[in-house]
Amino acid sequence: MNHQEPDFNVERLGECRFPSPMRGVRFTTDGERILYHSRYQEMRPFIDSGREPPSMEMGGPRERIFFDPSTIACGIVTCGGLCPGTNDVIRALTLSLYHHYGVRRVYGFRYGFEGVVKRHGHSPLLLTPEVVDRIGELGGTILASSRGPQAPSEMVDYLEELGIAILFTIGGDGTLKGAAKIAEEAARRGRPISVIGIPKTIDNDVSFLQNTFGFETAVDEAHRAIYAAHTEATGARNGIGLVKLMGRDSGFIAAYSTLVNSQVNFCLVPEVPFTLAGFLKSLEERLALRGHAVIAVAEGAGQELLPAATESDASGNVKLGDIGTFLRDAINGHFRAIGTEITLKYIDPSYIIRSQPANSHDSAFCLLLGHNAVHAGMCGRTCMVVGNWNQQFTHVPIRLATHQRKKIDPKGRLWSSVLASTGQSREID
Ligand code: ATP
Ligand code: MG
């Protein structure tokens, strides 16, 4: 192999000296691992040379654990934007800590990392089975969120004061980078604090993870918007339905929503640049041929057509230009200029999608992520996220998960299927 294989080694706090209080479960042994490569061609060099192929540690309850659960407190924090299923994860973590391990002090930090800094004065919420009873039915996060950095030293001060042994961070790449800094600071002080991330990114853009929670619900809801756009478009002469979807750097929501019922005629994603002239020409042809058109555009698509972004939010994320309204105005202007009457309906369902409760499949996924996160923390893993790979739950080091974003490969099978579904040309240029 001429490129370096990823290092899947997960940090451990120390030896697992306590027997797990869990009964009647199928324990995972430390030797159980999931192969990283599943394609024969990728495995062949390892088979030929007898080298160990790269593999990921498997999630699940261990027979022996690092912490004595009867003595510890645990914390949960949610950061960044809203994502369906966040409350399900909070519920699963709480119930697993409570019922599987007998932990009685589970603190829910309020307002993201701000709540992990004592001087901000947001008292943590004591989470019990009663408190989390029906939260899975609610969208958003009962703990609320915030953006903006906090000092790791101040956060670890408060974790130590509260006796937190395991901190669960539910958030995106920013949160995971923050989580890694907390783990580093705890290690520097020689404090055995486990930091376990549950990746929350509606865009499903985390490397080394096949799925993240909320994505399926997002595609469900996005399709409702596309259905509306299609209905509007077919209800008018030269009707155009334009839907802006989430996807800052990776267009997975737009791509999968395009595959639902194949109602989308143009799918525009950040990974595949296009020119305005090429797109408008294709749109003209489509209207001439079929009399209506549906466009799904990811928020990060076509940024090169807009003035360069200069603003950032409190966490340092660059504020994107609004490709949705830009395309709306450009399409209207173009057809006005060539004297063709169109009816364009623009739909931006982003906040509606983000605030949905999880659908059933996502909810079950959240429960399993939560359980696996608790098992990982209990056996002293740290600075890792719970992932899934080839239908199994895995432990992935934070440094790998945040190394680079997962993106659609414009030469890959997903994009090829999108093109086969829309009929749009490979390059709209
Ligand atoms: P989203 O996908 O919604 O953006 P996110 O977790 O990336 O989720 P951010 O607001 O970017 O959301 O970050 C969440 C928290 O993590 C914020 O408090 C932010 O200041 C902090 N954070 C972001 N980047 C870093 C970093 N490099 N180091 C330490 N903390 C960070
Ligand atoms: Mg972010």
Side-chain angles (χ1 to χ4, degrees), residues 80-81 147 171-175 177 200 205 248-249 313 315-317 405:
R147 295 199 189 267
D173 63 326
T175 306
K177 286 175 189 163
K200 172 197 65 64
D205 57 357
R248 285 178 60 88
D249 301 285
D313 69 13
S315 298
N317 304 303
R405 284 183 198 281

Side-chain angles (χ1 to χ4, degrees), residues 79-82 113 146-150 171-179 181 200-201 313-315 317 354:
C79 310
L82 298 187
F113 284 142
S146 69
R147 295 199 189 267
Q150 304 298 333
D173 63 326
T175 306
L176 295 176
K177 286 175 189 163
K181 288 187 179 154
K200 172 197 65 64
T201 154
D313 69 13
S315 298
N317 304 303
R354 283 188 179 282

Side-chain angles (χ1 to χ4, degrees), residues 86 237 247 286 293 305 327 343 423:
T86 308
R237 190 161 39 81
R286 158 81 201 175
L305 308 177
L327 281 184
T343 304

Side-chain angles (χ1 to χ4, degrees), residues 177-189:
K177 286 175 189 163
K181 288 187 179 154
I182 294 174
E184 277 163 29
E185 174 64 16
R188 201 183 58 77
R189 295 184 188 187

Side-chain angles (χ1 to χ4, degrees), residues 45-351:
F46 295 97
I47 298 168
D48 286 347
S49 65
R51 276 182 305 133
E52 188 72 13
S55 64
M56 302 180 181
E57 190 169 272
M58 204 163 151
R62 278 17 187 207
E63 211 160 359
R64 298 191 73 74
I65 57 179
F66 176 77
F67 291 107
D68 174 359
S70 62
T71 62
I72 61 171
C74 293
I76 304 175
V77 62
T78 59
C79 310
L82 298 187
C83 178
T86 308
N87 283 331
D88 292 82
V89 176
I90 297 170
R91 177 174 151 81
L93 291 170
T94 307
L95 294 182
S96 178
L97 288 167
Y98 214 89
H99 295 307
H100 297 159
Y101 291 97
V103 178
R104 289 296 175 266
R105 282 179 299 144
V106 182
Y107 296 111
F109 292 104
R110 311 294 318 278
Y111 303 108
F113 284 142
E114 236 183 76
V116 191
V117 173
K118 190 179 184 184
R119 77 185 154 77
H120 288 303
H122 310 307
S123 295
L125 198 63
L126 188 64
L127 297 172
T128 62
E130 292 71 37
V131 171
V132 300
D133 189 20
R134 305 198 60 167
I135 64 170
E137 295 163 27
L138 307 172
T141 157
I142 60 156
L143 300 178
S145 180
S146 69
R147 295 199 189 267
Q150 304 298 333
S153 58
E154 283 188 278
M155 293 195 274
V156 176
D157 284 347
Y158 200 25
L159 296 178
E160 284 196 53
E161 185 182 325
L162 293 169
I164 303 283
I166 312 174
L167 177 69
F168 299 97
T169 63
I170 308 173
D173 63 326
T175 306
L176 295 176
K177 286 175 189 163
K181 288 187 179 154
I182 294 174
E184 277 163 29
E185 174 64 16
R188 201 183 58 77
R189 295 184 188 187
R191 307 300 302 188
I193 298 177
S194 153
V195 182
I196 307 289
I198 298 102
K200 172 197 65 64
T201 154
I202 203 164
D203 296 343
N204 196 17
D205 57 357
V206 183
S207 296
F208 304 105
L209 270 63
Q210 276 165 341
N211 298 299
T212 52
F213 75 84
F215 176 73
E216 220 198 73
T217 307
V219 172
D220 263 0
E221 283 303 311
H223 183 254
R224 283 156 61 90
I226 288 169
Y227 174 81
H230 184 246
T231 308
E232 290 282 355
T234 51
R237 190 161 39 81
N238 285 339
I240 298 175
L242 172 61
V243 182
K244 185 173 87 165
L245 295 170
M246 286 87 72
R248 285 178 60 88
D249 301 285
S250 315
F252 290 106
I253 293 178
Y256 274 93
S257 307
T258 291
L259 300 180
V260 185
N261 284 357
S262 59
Q263 286 168 334
V264 173
N265 310 113
F266 297 94
C267 176
L268 306 173
V269 295
E271 294 90 335
V272 184
F274 62 96
T275 66
L276 191 57
F279 167 68
L280 291 171
K281 185 166 166 288
S282 300
L283 184 57
E284 252 181 64
E285 288 164 6
R286 158 81 201 175
L287 285 186
L289 199 67
R290 300 279 296 127
H292 73 276
V294 177
I295 306 152
V297 58
E299 61 187 319
Q303 288 299 304
E304 58 284 353
L305 308 177
L306 305 168
T310 49
E311 282 180 71
S312 300
D313 69 13
S315 298
N317 304 303
V318 172
K319 285 194 178 163
L320 296 175
D322 189 345
I323 186 67
T325 53
F326 172 81
L327 281 184
R328 178 196 63 192
D329 297 344
I331 295 167
N332 277 325
H334 173 74
F335 285 101
R336 203 179 307 120
I338 62 170
T340 303
E341 205 180 309
I342 60 161
T343 304
L344 186 148
K345 296 285 163 55
Y346 175 56
I347 305 176
D348 178 354
S350 307
Y351 289 111

